Amino acid sequence: MTIGNGVDSAAYYSSVNSGNELMMQIGTQILKKTMDAAEIQGAQITRMMEQSVNPGLGANVDIRI
């Protein structure tokens, strides 16, 4: 980074800006994956809680001949 030379300064700031954009994109993708995982876990917990209301449901079959 050279203060007297505008080209060097512009290239430096452009490089820094590109790096910042990349980090933001990476952070956004990680957040999206985390939110997707949390949504799946929430659905699984809901399903488990629904099954716990009637834990024996479907465990036995009554047959008469």
Side-chain angles (χ1 to χ4, degrees):
M1 178 172 113
T2 303
I3 302 297
N5 187 349
V7 175
D8 289 341
S9 295
Y12 171 76
Y13 288 119
S14 176
S15 175
V16 169
N17 191 32
S18 294
N20 288 341
E21 283 185 37
L22 177 62
M23 293 304 291
M24 182 163 299
Q25 289 174 355
I26 290 171
T28 302
Q29 289 300 318
I30 291 172
L31 180 60
K32 183 180 182 314
K33 287 182 184 262
T34 302
M35 290 174 63
D36 290 345
E39 185 177 348
I40 290 169
Q41 287 176 344
Q44 290 172 341
I45 289 172
T46 301
R47 193 173 326 122
M48 286 173 35
M49 290 177 68
E50 288 172 349
Q51 290 174 350
S52 70
V53 173
N54 296 315
L57 186 64
N60 299 321
V61 178
D62 295 331
I63 300 176
R64 292 187 184 170
I65 300 177

